[in-house]
């Protein structure tokens, strides 16, 4: 089968499409014939050598795919709601940039209602990340929520999901077009991170109850200062660095919480539970239009280098997806 390999850590040019050994489902696993694969910032980090897959996971890049169930491993049957030939999306620890991938059965779902398989390829990883993060933070109606990179895949989804929960949403982005995109998705306030977004946030909403933080060290002190009493800072990435000094004395008076949440390395039972909640609680919001599809930029698998360049440039709005194969189910 064809898959993307990383010849050595480095720039996008280290990515190559090559023939690799076929994969077969083991006990409790499903073989998926891949139609399309989502491209995420974590993929860039793995390509650069900064984010290796968890032990036992595929070395191939790719955390989410859409496609068709091609085979069921031992112990997986109709009681799992999975049948050969059915369309699906899957959450992965690795392996997505390939024609076929094996996935634990609990991480395979029907596509969101109304989505074709190319559109669906870029939904599950962001939906699972946002749902699990905001569930951990207990974001509730009437609270204020801040997310950075509001025009990206996670940011675009988080704006809409937080609004669906009844929160007031503040988003940041880097250009007027992207700020307008955030507003169009439902952000109550959108500020340029090239300006004093923290002061603008304070003027607009006072304190923030929940911050979804993909920046890490760069904004740590600013986020702690912005948080309202009983506020929660949830770190999901380190685009602004990993190391910073935290003044614990700033946490105590406001009873603040700081947490770091990851999805990729969670135990299988936790990932299966997250996927179940996404199907039950998030898919209906996509089906009825409460959460709208974000713009999609697609590339062929052979153009993976260009796809990574595009995401790395910061110019993209919405999600990037690699088209891998036909959207028709495999022949039995």
């Amino acid at each position: 089968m064809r898959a993307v390999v990383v010849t050595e850590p480095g720039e996008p040019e280290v990515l190559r499409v090559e023939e690799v050994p076929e994969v077969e489902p083991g006990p409790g696993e499903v073989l998926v014939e891949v139609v399309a694969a989502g491209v995420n910032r974590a993929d860039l980090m793995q390509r650069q050598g900064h984010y290796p897959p968890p032990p036992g996971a595929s070395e191939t890049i790719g955390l989410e795919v859409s496609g068709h169930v091609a085979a069921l491993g031992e112990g997986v049957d109709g009681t799992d709601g999975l049948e050969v030939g059915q369309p699906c999306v899957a959450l992965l620890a690795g392996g997505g940039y390939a024609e076929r991938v094996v996935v634990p059965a609990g991480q395979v779902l029907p596509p969101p209602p109304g989505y074709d398989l190319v559109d669906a390829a870029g939904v599950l990883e962001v939906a699972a990340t946002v749902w699990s993060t905001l569930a951990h933070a207990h974001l509730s109606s009437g609270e204020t929520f801040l997310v950075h990179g509001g025009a990206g895949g996670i940011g675009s989804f988080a704006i809409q999901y937080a609004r669906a929960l009844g929160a007031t949403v503040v988003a940041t982005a880097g250009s007027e077009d992207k700020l307008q995109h955030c507003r169009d998705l439902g952000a109550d306030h959108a500020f340029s991170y090239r300006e004093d977004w923290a002061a603008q946030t304070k003027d607009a909403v006072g304190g923030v109850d929940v911050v979804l933080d993909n920046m890490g060290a760069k904004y740590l002190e600013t986020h702690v200062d912005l948080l309202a009493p009983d506020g929660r800072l949830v770190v999901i990435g380190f685009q602004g660095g990993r190391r910073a000094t935290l003044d614990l004395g700033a946490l105590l008076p406001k009873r603040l919480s700081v947490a770091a949440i990851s999805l990729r390395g969670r135990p299988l039972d936790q990932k299966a539970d997250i996927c179940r909640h996404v199907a039950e609680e998030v898919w209906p919001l996509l089906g009825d239009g409460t959460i709208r599809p974000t713009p999609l930029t697609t590339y062929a698998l052979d153009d993976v280098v260009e796809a990574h360049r595009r995401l790395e440039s910061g110019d993209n709005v919405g999600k990037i997806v690699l088209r891998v194969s036909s959207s028709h189910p495999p022949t039995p």
Side-chain angles (χ1 to χ4, degrees), residues 130-193:
V130 171
W131 181 89
S132 60
T133 302
L134 297 192
H136 181 91
H138 301 288
L139 180 67
S140 60
S141 180
E143 291 194 313
T144 300
F145 171 69
L146 168 65
V147 61
H148 297 291
I154 285 179
S156 296
F157 200 95
I159 288 170
Q160 298 184 81
Y161 186 58
R163 284 286 292 173
L165 294 176
T168 296
V169 177
V170 181
T172 70
S175 70
E176 184 51 43
D177 286 348
K178 290 184 177 182
L179 292 171
Q180 188 57 51
H181 174 73
C182 295
R183 298 183 192 107
D184 292 343
L185 291 178
D188 299 278
H189 307 279
F191 304 124
S192 172
Y193 60 69

Side-chain angles (χ1 to χ4, degrees), residues 17 19 24 35-36 41 56 69 76 81 100 105 111 118 123 137 173 187 192 250 252 262 276 283 302 308 313 332:
V17 179
E19 289 290 331
E24 297 292 338
V35 167
R41 288 207 168 269
V69 175
V76 183
R100 284 169 287 283
V118 175
V123 176
S192 172
L252 283 173
S262 69
R276 179 178 58 80
W283 272 192
D302 288 310
H308 271 229
S313 73

Side-chain angles (χ1 to χ4, degrees), residues 14-15 18 25 30 37 40 52 79 88 131 184 226 273 296 321 325:
V14 304
L15 299 173
E18 297 181 358
V30 174
N40 296 284
T79 62
C88 65
W131 181 89
D184 292 343
L226 276 176
D273 187 59
L296 195 69
V321 163
S325 63

Side-chain angles (χ1 to χ4, degrees), residues 44-57:
L44 309 185
M45 294 174 60
Q46 182 172 338
R47 187 203 75 223
Q48 294 162 353
H50 302 315
Y51 192 30

Side-chain angles (χ1 to χ4, degrees), residues 84-298:
V84 172
Q86 78 177 68
C88 65
V89 292
L91 181 69
L92 315 172
Y97 291 13
E99 291 180 322
R100 284 169 287 283
V101 64
V102 293
V103 191
Q107 294 164 219
V108 181
L109 302 176
Y115 280 62
D116 67 31
L117 285 176
V118 175
D119 292 334
V123 176
L124 181 52
E125 198 274 340
V126 294
T129 296
V130 171
W131 181 89
S132 60
T133 302
L134 297 192
H136 181 91
H138 301 288
L139 180 67
S140 60
S141 180
E143 291 194 313
T144 300
F145 171 69
L146 168 65
V147 61
H148 297 291
I154 285 179
S156 296
F157 200 95
I159 288 170
Q160 298 184 81
Y161 186 58
R163 284 286 292 173
L165 294 176
T168 296
V169 177
V170 181
T172 70
S175 70
E176 184 51 43
D177 286 348
K178 290 184 177 182
L179 292 171
Q180 188 57 51
H181 174 73
C182 295
R183 298 183 192 107
D184 292 343
L185 291 178
D188 299 278
H189 307 279
F191 304 124
S192 172
Y193 60 69
R194 305 183 193 280
E195 301 175 1
D196 193 348
W197 60 269
Q200 292 173 309
T201 299
K202 272 192 174 182
D203 289 343
V205 300
V208 174
D209 297 295
V210 174
V211 178
L212 179 59
D213 176 21
N214 59 1
M215 293 302 295
K218 183 177 181 179
Y219 291 164
L220 179 61
E221 290 187 21
T222 302
H223 285 151
V224 169
D225 180 61
L226 276 176
L227 285 172
D230 298 307
R232 291 86 75 195
L233 170 63
V234 187
V235 180
I236 64 166
F238 308 111
Q239 292 182 41
R242 299 173 56 181
R243 295 181 181 274
T245 299
L246 177 61
D247 180 3
L248 296 177
L251 303 185
L252 283 173
K254 294 194 288 184
R255 303 173 303 279
L256 306 182
S257 301
V258 178
I261 302 295
S262 69
L263 182 63
R264 189 181 194 184
R266 285 177 182 256
L268 296 185
D269 60 337
Q270 291 186 19
K271 287 204 242 185
D273 187 59
I274 289 169
C275 288
R276 179 178 58 80
H277 279 285
V278 166
E280 293 175 355
E281 300 174 29
V282 182
W283 272 192
L285 300 177
L286 276 70
D288 67 15
T290 300
I291 297 178
R292 307 193 306 272
T294 56
L296 195 69
T297 304
T298 63

